[in-house]
């Protein structure tokens, strides 16, 4: 053992005097322990060197004897120091070398470990879609200000008060039975889904449902077909699950898969309201797709994300209702109809598949709160769900029409009237349902660049090309009109329209 | 077009008369539409055949005219039928062939599509661990009956009432700032974790944190080291992420990695309280492990799942506090200290890693409720967290000691007293912290078989071998004592002890 180094001990006492905080919530013995440990690990106290005698440290720092003894005891229990009767306390010889002196900014060394390739790919895709301070035009963002929050809390408080102990534990029923029954009734009636309550699984989000389905039905390297353009959230789920994504073009009737190889394990579609273009898959194409799925041994994942908000014409029933072979997995979300922080989605699966999905979710993802699920069941059964839906449908329809009017007023003849615009025109696609429109831009414009410029203006309108894996059919911007109130949205619409007019003028596109 | 087939029409009317429910919540026009659609899809109404005239169907079924017209209109809108002025309504010729007559039990055809290989592997592992009706002895199950639920609701109701609209939307802050600050303070003080609030990410569960870390730091095929035996939940997360798991044996000081190849991307450990054996990783081994991680370019995942409940001796500070290179990702859960249905865990990551983890979680998994997170922040800051922890520590310590006493009373000399049992003895391992003990069984016994028999008795005590990927070090049973009340637990302990005594007697193991 080396003798204590007087200078170092003085430095140590100075250091401790400086760093011990008398008015901290952290007890002094804990602070002392922590700083001594740091001094040992950083090499300020060398291996084998003596610690100050506890009495002298007490005096030097005006600490109680027990404070010092407690800290020394902890260091000894953890093996940092050893004490010998009569010989004082020494830093353990068995400790590893301290880090080199230059490594002051300690934790930056972690940058030498790269992220996984899949994380890098995912992050690239996520960041490409842009982030803005305001949710104006952010697609998929509902208006939560109109949600009957007080009523919801009243319903919820009853279930909170009476929560059985089991509802605080780990849950594995695939969802609260009352909610599954209420949803099954709603889906049969409103969406033509052919199911009973036992075929429903309540998930923590649409995203979780996508992940779960990918995991259960496909292995890494298997192929999934995706509409092009298509929902980026689904793309991220397939990427995270290691699937090979085959972007499949769509025409006005839906997916065009002719000649696609190899056979997919999953076919992901948004037949009721193609995301983001807004077209509806024809009945003939739906039947043909089910036939394809049967021939190729694939599951069909039907994402029915927003058909609750049908603004125009009769809704087509869900594709799931046409399925006679148990190939369709139907996905829905409550983030749009209620509010996103509820963290609730659901899926309807064929009977054979529901049990494995339930077990995998319960073990790998854990189920959400049955208190909130019971609340939602009441909300549906008492008719509040339907009433809220009707109210929001009205709000969104009016907002969409205002958005169209504002854009039309500022864009004049640049804006095509039908859905067959000239290549030098702007057109508004979709809008028969939901909470977004897709703005088709004249050929040749760089939608990514425009989206970036809009982002700098505080408007989050993602480029259509960020919904594509291959060459986009045309440049565009996706405009959500759910997340901002009327006044904010109209202000933003004017800003957007002026920006577009200026852009078109700069590109010498005539307004005739 | 073929003429209507009189017999078929009669059958159809009979069928409809039988299936239309007058007192259903589903409107009659919807029911009629649904049954007609089914009849078309199943081939009962052939392509090109006429539907009954709406007037005659009204009369035959005593339906209002509008009911029938509405149903026919919907079928026409969806393309199932076509109407010609004066010629009635006909089933569309463009529909696909109906399924063959034998395919009556429609949805069982889905069984021909197998689950993914990874799902099959996961399900095998999950099911192997057994499921019982009662949670008695289920490891990891806390006692939720002692949770101050009324107090929690009081705190929560304030945050619910005053919830800002943004807290109902999509969240991406990595957790409520107040909770991150409160947890950082708690972890620094109680666990010696070296972090500030910005290094914390609130997750939806420990399981989600494991999944997120796997995704962000390792690619499919990369190697993860896992303690053997080890936590099955972690194993499932690595399997779901496609990682190659290398089971690494442990001795009394911790992980023994000598000669292991190839280099891991992740090293997963439970240094404070090895799961499930209960040993504590020595300080020297911790330092050596950090050194190994640096040399091999690996992250260390420190799962500190239950050190809040330290029953015995001074707790060792978290390994994260020793890390000078930013290699440790520290994981904690609130399922044990509070209640599982809260769905809250957390991780502490080096500054460089926290931002990618936050973005991936927000996009792929979505964040949980900030209302509950704000409630928990209050619960911690107001001292309720500490008080509840102390109370539960007392309850669990007492329960463990009762469990030990009961087993000792019934097993006599079969039960070893120290921690070095003879091969023909039973020993209780661990118990210095947490809510479980591991019961080591005499060499040669089949723990899987015993666990199954116990399962039939309503006792869920998983076999130690179900925690292992290779040959287990010895047979054993893992006994959780958190999830059942004292009386239930003691009754179960007596049942278990008698069963074990009988088993040992049957195996001619002497009680001397």
């Amino acid at each position: 053992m080396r003798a204590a180094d007087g200078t170092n001990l003085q430095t140590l006492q100075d250091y401790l005097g400086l760093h011990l905080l008398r008015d901290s919530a952290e007890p002094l013995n804990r602070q002392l322990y922590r700083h001594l440990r740091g001094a040992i690990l950083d090499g300020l106290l060398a291996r084998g060197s003596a610690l100050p005698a506890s009495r002298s440290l007490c005096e030097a720092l005006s600490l109680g004897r027990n404070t010092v003894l407690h800290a020394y005891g902890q260091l000894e229990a953890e093996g940092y120091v050893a004490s010998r009767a009569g010989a004082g306390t020494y830093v353990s010889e068995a400790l590893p070398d301290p880090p080199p002196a230059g490594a002051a900014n300690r934790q930056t060394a972690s940058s030498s470990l790269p992220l996984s390739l899949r994380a890098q790919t995912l992050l690239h895709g996520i960041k490409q879609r842009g982030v803005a301070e305001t949710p104006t035009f952010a697609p998929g963002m509902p208006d939560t200000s109109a949600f009957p929050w007080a009523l919801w809390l009243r319903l919820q408080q009853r279930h909170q008060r009476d929560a059985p102990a089991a509802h605080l534990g780990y849950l594995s029923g695939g969802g609260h039975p009352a909610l599954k029954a209420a949803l099954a009734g709603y889906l049969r009636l409103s969406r033509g889904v052919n199911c009973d309550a036992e075929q429903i699984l309540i998930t923590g989000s649409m995203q979780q449902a996508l992940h779960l389905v990918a995991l259960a039905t496909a292995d890494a390297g298997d192929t999934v077909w995706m509409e092009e353009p298509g929902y980026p959230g689904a793309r991220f789920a397939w990427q995270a699950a290691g699937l090979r994504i085959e972007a499949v073009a769509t025409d006005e009737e839906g997916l065009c898969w002719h000649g696609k190889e190899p056979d997919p394990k999953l076919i992901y579609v948004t037949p009721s309201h193609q995301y983001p273009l807004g077209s509806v898959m024809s009945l003939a194409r739906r039947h043909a797709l089910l036939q394809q799925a049967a021939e190729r041994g694939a599951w069909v994942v039907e994402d029915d994300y927003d058909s609750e908000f049908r603004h125009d014409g009769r809704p087509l029933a869900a594709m799931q209702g046409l399925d006679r072979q148990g190939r369709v997995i139907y996905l829905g979300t409550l983030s749009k109809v209620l509010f996103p922080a509820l963290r609730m989605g659901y899926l309807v699966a064929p009977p054979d598949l529901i049990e494995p999905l339930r077990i995998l979710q319960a073990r790998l993802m854990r189920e959400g709160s049955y208190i909130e699920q019971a609340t939602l069941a009441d909300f549906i059964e008492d008719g509040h769900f339907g009433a809220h839906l009707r109210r929001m449908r009205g709000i969104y329809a009016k907002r969409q029409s205002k958005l169209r009017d504002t854009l039309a007023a500022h864009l004049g003849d640049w804006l095509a009237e039908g859905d067959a615009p000239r290549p030098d025109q702007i057109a508004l696609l979709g809008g028969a349902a939901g909470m977004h429109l897709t703005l088709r831009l004249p050929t040749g414009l760089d939608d990514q660049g425009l989206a970036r410029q809009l982002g700098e203006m505080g408007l989050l309108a993602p480029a259509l090309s960020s919904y594509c894996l291959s060459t986009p059919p045309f440049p565009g911007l996706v405009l959500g009109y759910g997340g901002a109130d009327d006044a904010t949205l109209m202000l933003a619409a004017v800003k957007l329209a002026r920006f577009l007019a200026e852009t078109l003028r700069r590109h010498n596109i005539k307004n005739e």
Side-chain angles (χ1 to χ4, degrees), chain A residues 197-276:
Chain A
E198 284 66 47
Q199 283 173 264
I200 292 189
L201 182 72
I202 310 296
T203 66
S205 59
M206 169 67 81
Q207 206 59 43
Q208 193 188 70
L210 290 165
H211 177 59
L212 182 63
V213 167
L215 203 63
T217 61
D219 283 296
D222 282 344
T223 298
V224 56
W225 284 356
M226 234 191 114
E227 294 162 333
E228 175 87 341
Y231 176 50
R235 191 211 308 160
F236 299 141
W238 314 139
Q239 285 175 338
L243 306 193
R244 223 188 115 264
I245 302 175
E246 187 69 42
V248 182
T250 53
D251 62 15
E252 61 283 356
E253 286 204 63
L255 213 60
C256 305
W257 55 80
H258 299 290
K260 279 282 172 197
E261 294 295 341
D263 285 345
K265 273 279 166 60
L266 288 173
I267 304 174
Y268 170 81
V269 284
T270 49
S272 302
H273 191 221
Q274 202 279 331
Y275 193 77

Side-chain angles (χ1 to χ4, degrees), chain A residues 13 27 45 54 78 99 104 111 117 125 128 130 143 165 169 180 194 261 280 328 358 375 400 466 489 496:
Chain A
Q13 284 179 8
L45 277 166
S54 57
E78 299 195 358
S111 60
L117 295 177
Q128 190 201 18
D143 185 347
K180 290 200 278 185
N194 180 17
E261 294 295 341
V280 177
V328 174
R358 184 188 63 73
T375 306
Q400 186 194 129
S466 75
L489 189 80
L496 171 70

